[in-house]
Each structure stands twice: as C-alpha cells, then as structure tokens.
Amino acid sequence: MAVVDHVTNGEIQNTGKFERQPNHFVTPFGEKEGDLAVEAGRYRLLWAPVCPWANRSIIVRQLLGLEDVISVGTLDPIRPDVPWSDWSFTLDEDDRDPVLGIKLLSEAYKKADPDYQGRYTVPALVDLQTGAVVNNDYFNLTLYFETAWKKFHKAHAPELYPEELRKDIDELNAFIFHDVNNGVYKAGFATSQEAYSEAYNLVFDAFDVLEERLSKQRFLFGDYITESDVRLYVTLARFDVAYFNGFRVNKKMLKDYPNLWGYARDLYAEEAFGGNTNFDAIKRHYHLCCLKTNPFDILPLGPDLSIWKEKANREHLSKDPEHKYRYE
Ligand SMILES: N[C@@H](CCC(=O)N[C@@H](CS)C(=O)NCC(=O)O)C(=O)O
C-alpha cells in the first residue's frame, strides 16, 4: 500500500523531529495585481473528511454560506494503491470527480506544476478554467474566505474574524497550530523517543492551558465562535478516535477534560461542525491507511461516539446564551 513518506520528502530532521513541508501554492485571493481572482463558480475545493486542515475550510465555507460560490470535490478516506502517496475520487461514479474528470488528486497538482515534488495534500483549490491547483495554503484559506470572499457571504453570516480581534486570533492560532493541530502530528510522525516525548508534552501542556481558558468562557474569545474555535475543534474531533492511540498522545482522552470536552460538544452540535465531522472516515483513514503500525488492518471498534450528542450545558458561561455567533 502507498504510504506517506515524510522521510524521502525531507520532513524528518536528524533528531527524529517531524517538520511539515511548506505549502507550495500560496498566492493569496484578493484584488491586487497577481492575486487570485475572487469569482463565484470559478474554483473547486478538494477535501477529504478525514483531514483536519481540509475540514476547517469546509466548516468555514458552510458557516459563511459559500456553498453555491465554491464547489466541493470529496476524496476517499482510503488512499489509492499506487506507488506514491495520493488521494482518489473513488467515492464518485466511475471513480472520477464529476466536474474535473480526474481520478487522482495528483493530476490537479501536476497540471499546475509538472515538476511538483512535495506530497499531494488536501485541501487544494482548483481553478475550473485550467483544472490546476492554485492554492493549497491550508493555514490561510479560511482567512481568505472570511476576508477576501466577504462579498459572497450569505446575509447575516457570522463574523468569524472580527477586525478588533485579528491580532489576538492570529496569535492564538499560531499557538494552536504549533502545539495542538501540528503538535499531534509531531508526536505521531516522530522517529525518535526524544522527539515524540517533546511533542507529547507540548500537546498536553497546551490542553492544560486551553482547559483553564475554557473554564471561564464558552468559546476561545468569549461568547461567540471565531476562526480559532474552528481550528481547535478539528483536532479535538479526531483526538479520541484517532490520535489518542494512533499517534500515542495518550496521557488523557479529550473526554477527561470537562471544559474542552463540553466545548467540543457545544461546537459539534452546530450543523457546520457536526455535519462535517465524519468519525467513520476519520477512523478508517488513520487506522487503516495513514499509520504504518497496524499491519493487520484491524479497525478499532471504540470509542463510544454516541456521547458526542450529549448536551454541552455551557450556556451559563456566556452573556448571550441564546447565540453562538456574532453576525456581520
Ligand atoms: N498542505 C499541508 C497540510 C495539509 C495536509 O498535510 N493534508 C494531509 C491530510 S490531513 C494530506 O493531504 N496528506 C497527503 C500526504 O501526506 O501524502 C502540508 O503540506 O503539510
């Protein structure tokens, strides 16, 4: 089976630490010369429900009402059996994306750059005029949706990136990225005990900080959901089903943190979050495909996922308990 090879891709340092590849297609969306044009119906967002980086762009697209503006193609949680690391459209009829007509994600990357050497990753935005990937900048994609794409937001869309909070949100996002979102990968992909242990501590120290912060307020920036909550949520949603045993981040489960766990359920109850969280796909991807430590392809039966539907009961932490969003 084709496996992700971070070693040949130069992402493993001599110390055994995992250092993620930089994104290749990073042209911003905007009005300036050289920017990618902001146009309805022009782009297709390729995602896999398993992937936290892709998941957040789908959540934000739905929250802002961009579904009719940017179309979506969905990749199979189980990667294709080809001699390189790829993603396939095997969930679609004839195993092809119905709009792009391609079978593999790599085809859209190759159209953009025939010499592309990195991993073929989701999320990727494809320009329908050329069929080529134009942006795979998962870190900034949601920020573009919130700012450059504003003219296409639905009426009364939530304000996820309020101007006066941007500096603080960016700062918290950097912490969430390094210590949580990518922290679990640093533990999971480490090739030395030291690198793994360091990453393990990073993740659980960060959880302690966030647990404390969420003991006093409903969401990361108070009464309303912001961009930072989307970023934290996608890792929390994968924690107990995949990372806890798959990536050996097993000091505690998410459900052992009363505030983080209630907070995650408060978000899960929202259609854009829960409706775009596919636990089955996540489990199958991480346990049957992503990890090299499961040679007999045994799919774990647990954990019990029904508890995600239990009420969060966090309204008392908000001054505006009826609403989870501030509107534009
Ligand atoms: N584009 C980023 C992040 C996106 C990312 O890593 N996505 C994963 C799925 S969660 C992926 O597509 N991996 C493909 C691979 O490693 O071959 C990167 O290059 O590291």
Side-chain angles (χ1 to χ4, degrees):
M1 166 171 305
V3 288
V4 185
D5 192 344
H6 297 109
V7 178
T8 50
N9 199 33
E11 293 174 288
I12 303 293
Q13 299 177 333
N14 293 340
T15 53
K17 281 190 187 176
F18 169 62
E19 194 168 306
R20 188 171 287 279
Q21 66 177 9
N23 295 307
H24 193 74
F25 300 98
V26 292
T27 308
F29 286 92
E31 310 274 306
K32 290 203 292 296
E33 171 128 20
D35 285 353
L36 294 168
V38 177
E39 266 176 44
R42 168 116 186 227
Y43 302 97
R44 191 160 177 81
L45 174 59
L46 302 183
W47 83 303
V50 303
C51 174
W53 318 105
N55 198 175
R56 66 196 200 192
S57 57
I58 292 290
I59 293 172
V60 169
R61 168 181 172 268
Q62 183 167 339
L63 285 173
L64 300 177
L66 292 172
E67 293 103 317
D68 294 336
V69 177
I70 300 169
S71 75
V72 152
T74 304
L75 291 145
D76 196 313
I78 302 297
R79 313 269 216 112
D81 197 3
V82 291
W84 62 89
S85 228
D86 215 324
W87 296 90
S88 64
F89 289 98
T90 23
L91 301 175
D92 290 302
E93 206 178 310
D94 194 26
D95 298 346
R96 287 182 191 279
D97 178 76
V99 172
L100 298 168
I102 57 174
K103 288 189 152 188
L104 297 172
L105 176 66
S106 58
E107 295 174 55
Y109 272 83
K110 293 257 177 61
K111 267 204 180 124
D113 178 359
D115 298 323
Y116 180 76
Q117 298 289 335
R119 290 183 285 110
Y120 304 110
T121 59
V122 285
L125 265 190
V126 172
D127 186 344
L128 293 177
Q129 290 185 355
T130 59
V133 171
V134 287
N135 190 295
N136 74 341
D137 186 357
Y138 65 95
F139 196 86
N140 289 310
L141 210 47
T142 47
L143 303 181
Y144 296 138
F145 288 175
E146 285 147 12
T147 56
W149 286 82
K150 208 164 194 130
K151 64 180 173 199
F152 292 115
H153 291 181
K154 68 181 178 190
H156 309 297
E159 178 60 86
L160 300 173
Y161 195 44
E163 298 244 18
E164 74 281 7
L165 288 178
R166 283 187 190 172
K167 201 173 144 289
D168 296 333
I169 289 179
D170 292 348
E171 214 169 280
L172 189 66
N173 286 352
F175 167 70
I176 292 173
F177 172 75
H178 289 293
D179 293 17
V180 181
N181 301 146
N182 204 31
V184 293
Y185 283 91
K186 289 182 208 166
F189 294 158
T191 60
S192 73
Q193 183 69 46
E194 292 72 25
Y196 156 73
S197 306
E198 195 182 306
Y200 173 102
N201 288 325
L202 205 63
V203 170
F204 290 103
D205 288 352
F207 273 14
D208 288 343
V209 170
L210 294 165
E211 172 71 5
E212 165 66 19
R213 183 169 180 138
L214 291 165
S215 69
K216 302 191 204 89
Q217 53 198 53
R218 191 172 187 185
F219 300 110
L220 289 171
F221 281 95
D223 297 342
Y224 305 114
I225 293 171
T226 65
E227 166 71 24
S228 298
D229 297 299
V230 178
R231 292 183 185 224
L232 179 55
Y233 171 80
V234 294
T235 295
L236 300 183
R238 285 157 183 75
F239 202 81
D240 291 358
V241 282
Y243 302 143
F244 178 82
N245 47 8
F247 285 177
R248 306 181 196 89
V249 275
N250 54 3
K251 184 178 182 178
K252 287 192 203 176
M253 294 180 91
L254 170 64
K255 67 184 170 76
D256 298 326
Y257 293 89
N259 294 295
L260 271 170
W261 172 225
Y263 161 84
R265 283 172 2 252
D266 210 3
L267 294 171
Y268 179 77
E270 294 299 290
E271 178 53 32
F273 288 81
N276 289 308
T277 302
N278 184 337
F279 289 123
D280 176 60
I282 294 169
K283 267 174 78 164
R284 286 192 298 123
H285 173 77
Y286 282 96
H287 294 292
L288 301 185
C289 182
C290 169
L291 298 162
K292 299 175 196 170
T293 47
N294 189 10
F296 301 106
D297 282 350
I298 308 287
L299 187 65
L301 293 178
D304 174 15
L305 295 169
S306 64
I307 53 176
W308 275 88
K309 298 213 167 81
E310 286 170 12
K311 234 184 140 305
N313 292 325
R314 287 178 56 82
E315 291 84 352
H316 64 283
L317 294 167
S318 173
K319 289 186 292 307
D320 186 9
E322 298 292 306
H323 302 107
K324 296 185 186 179
Y325 304 99
R326 196 181 108 183
Y327 295 98
E328 285 176 358

